[in-house]
Structure formats: C-alpha cells, structure tokens
Amino acid sequence: MTQDKVVIFDTTLRDGEQSPGATMTHEEKLEIASLLDEMGVDIIEAGFPIASEGDFAAVTEIAKRAKNATICGLARANFKDIDRCWEAVRHAKSPRIHTFIGTSPLHRAIPNLDMDQMADRIHETVTHARNLCDNVQWSPMDATRTEPDYLCRVVEIAIKAGATTINIPDTVGYTYPMESARIIRMLLERVPGADEIIFATHCHNDLGMATANALAAVEAGARQIECTINGLGERAGNTALEEVVMAMRVRNDILPFRTGIDTTKIMNLSRRVSQVSGFPVQFNKAIVGKNAFLHESGIHQDGVLKNVQTFEIMRPEDIGLTQKNIAMGKHSGRAALRAKLKELGFDLADNQLNDVFVRFKALADRKKEVYDDDLIALVSDEQTNDAYEYLQLKKLRVVCGTEGPQEADMILLIDGKDHHIDATGDGPVDAAFNCVKMLFPHKARLQVYQVHAVTEGTDAQATVSVRLEEEGRIVTGSAADTDTIVASTRAYINALNRLIIRRQKTAPGEDVKTVSYHGE
C-alpha cells in the first residue's frame, strides 16, 4: 500500500447497529453492504457472528455477495468466537478476522487477568486467528486509557503472533487530537515490527472530537480509519465516514492522503442508513445534514449567487446532492429573492420586485420556511386555489370501520368535467387519496400530512396540511372542514392544483392538460 493511501474500514453494520434502537433487518444489512461496496469502502465490518444466528447469517451472506470489499467479522479473545467468525467470513473473496480484548486497568479487571495472563491470552488468540486467516486485525479495547508501556508490550505480542492490522480504539471518546497522534507515533517508534503492519484508528465521539482524533492519528502515521455512515454508533457515535473522506479531499494541502471512495454516492447512502436505522440526520450535521449547503442570510446568499466559493468549501454535487442551496426565509435579501423567482419563471422589473419583497418579508416573519408555491402566490397576488382550480372535489363518500377494506366513492371535476371512481385503501384517507391518484395520475410524493383541530369538541373543525414533492418541486396545500376526510382530500387536491401551476412555470408554453392530465 502506498504511503498516501488511507484504508476506509466501515463498521456501520457492526458498531453502528449497536446504537440503541438501530437494529436492521437481514435484507437491510445486505442492501447497505452492497451500497458500501459500490461506494468503494475497502473493508466492511459486517457484524459480530457469534452474537446471534441472525448476525451470523447476515455476515455469511454479505461475504458471499461482496464484489470488491474485504469482509470482516468481530470476535472476542477466545477460540469459540474466532472460529464462528471464520465460519462466516471465509466465504468472502477477501476475508478478515477482527479480534479484541480490553487492555486498560478497568477492562483487565473484568476477566480478572493480570498483565502477564492477558499477554498470554492475546498471543494465543491472535495466533489461532492467523492460523485460520491471513488477514487478522487486533484491537486493544480502551487503548487510550491503557498504560503506554503495557500498550507497547501487547501490540508487539499481537504483531509477532501474526496480526496484520493493529487498531487503536478510543473506546469511550476520551482522547483529544494531540494525544491521538502521540499514541500512534509512540507505537511506530517503540514497537518492533510496527513498520511492517498497518495501524488503524477507531474513535468515538463522546467529547465531539472523533473526526479530529481520527485525522490526527492519520497525520501521525495511521493508515486505516474505522468509521460509520452518519457517525452512527454507541452513545454519541463514531467517526463519520463522510467527514473524514471529505476533510481529506477539501484539505488535501495539509492532509495529503487519498481514499478509494466515490464521494458522489455519500448522500444517497446517508439517507438510506438514516431510513433503515431509524436515526434521523440532524439538520446541521456536517456534510450530509439538510442545512449543510443551505444559505438564508442575505449576505451569504448574495455572495453564493455571485461566487459559490465565497461561502462553500465544497460543491453539493461532490456528495451527490443536486438541490439548490438557497433557503428562503426572513434573513433572505433581494438578490436571493430575484434569483429564486427567476428560477420559478418570473423575471420582475425593479419596482415589481420591491413590492413582492415587502410582502415576502411579511410572510417570512410568520413562517419558518417559505416554499416555492408561497412565492408564486405572492407574485400572482392571490392564492393559487382562488386563481385556478383545475381539480375540484364535487362528491365524496367513504366507508370505514373495524371491518375492511376501507372504501371511497368520488366525483372529481377535472377542468370542469365530472369523473367518477371508487377505490379502496389502508384507511379512509388513503382510499380517498387513491381515488384522486387514479383519476389524476401523478408522481408527486407525499412528504407531510398533518391534522389540527381548530377548536375543542367532537364537532371541531379540522385543518389539514399536506406537502407534496415532484422532481424537486415542493408544494403545500391546506383545507378546513368539520369532516376530517373531506378536509384531507381537499388539502391534497389543493396541493395538486399548486403543482399544476408550478409545472406551467417550469415548462413555459405547455398546455396544462398535456402537462398534468393523462387520462381517467
């Protein structure tokens, strides 16, 4: 391996899945492993084979399916764990056994082993693993709280026993960057044979320094980073793959290292891991957060519109993101508003822009986020549903209760003509929405559905809000009625009417019927 190459070891499927509540199904593990392999991850730690039959089956199948990545399994320092691990990973084109034991005073006390007894255990188990597999990784758990002299001693034993990679875990997120680098340099300088193996770093984020600690270790000589997608992991999580990879790419002037990661696949993988793990990505998360490339401040927006590099150190497309980087809100200025309106198809004169800007600011003070359809309504100076209702609900009857299926019978006016249909669904709202979709086919995805009672009591009026997304266009619709199903359907139709207007704006000259309606 060349000195500038940093191996990426992803442990999303092992350490990441240990996050409370983040358990993935068998099929989800196979899917994530395939995406990691396609992205160019060098080593995938697929699981802990002895932990359960499910983990064993997943690691085995991932090993069989992997095309490029080395497939690794975790094992404690005993023959039974190591044998079970080998049974699972041996099917891979490139298998690895990763075995570990806690070496700090606190962890030595758990199995009640003194320093010499633990050293013997390390020699025996690493030797056994190496007899099964040519690629063996050994980790002294809680290395950053292990006595330096003893850490050097056990690392030397593991290397002599056949370990090809020595991982230095900051198991509880205790270290800091200078110390992380100092430990790696110490081992390289003091341990015989250290120059013949790869040192790895595995950092937890308890003090918020996981990425910094990992990069400091690399600067000191480590050439493998253990990480997870979105930083998923126990407690405060791990080093985030996307952070270390993009840091080395953006700051290659001081971090002159390279990886084999296809960064354009980062965003898609981040979203998928978030979905299957149930752990949402925080909005301001570095690299992959919703706000990572969004600008609302007027000064920032003006700068980005003139030269994106003024306030962005990387391009959204570098991580596979294609959406716009301007978020319209109360801090937005005229330049951002003009650019957004132009994008929506409105090229306004200065006096028109000034008028719309005043009303935009008033609206932004009332709403946290101003969507595209809000801006279209401001420009036209009237609500979309008052200006043009291509779709109108004429009649709706639903049948629901404890016995299914739930049914809806609907007459929908489409461009003034009656269209009748009935449909079933998973509940009365779903059945009504299915009627609309059957009469007016579209590809819009329902992002938000919210119901609020305006007053108290069983006769309260329900206000329903929906948000739809189609090819980057986001529209909202709302309606109120004492019948929640009717309010839901009207809100859905209202959003579709707004979408029709958006389609017209983004496809000038198209007739609304040909753009929006494709048959009964």
Side-chain angles (χ1 to χ4, degrees), residues 192-259:
D195 58 335
E196 298 175 6
I197 55 96
I198 293 174
F199 276 100
T201 179
H202 180 120
C203 302
H204 280 262
N205 205 39
D206 297 71
L207 294 176
M209 293 188 285
T211 295
N213 288 334
L215 292 173
V218 168
E219 282 191 287
R223 286 297 178 268
Q224 176 178 300
I225 296 177
E226 303 204 357
C227 47
T228 62
I229 300 298
N230 299 336
L232 195 65
E234 289 191 279
R235 303 183 314 280
N238 291 286
T239 302
L241 178 149
E242 61 275 6
E243 292 178 11
V244 291
V245 169
M246 292 308 295
M248 287 186 282
R249 176 170 176 159
V250 172
R251 293 310 311 272
N252 198 248
D253 55 330
I254 61 171
L255 294 167
F257 309 107
R258 61 183 178 84
T259 71

Side-chain angles (χ1 to χ4, degrees), residues 175-189 201 212-222:
T175 195
Y176 65 102
M178 288 178 63
E179 184 178 54
S180 178
R182 187 163 60 242
I183 291 171
I184 296 297
R185 280 195 293 267
M186 174 191 72
L187 294 170
L188 284 168
E189 292 169 1
T201 179
N213 288 334
L215 292 173
V218 168
E219 282 191 287

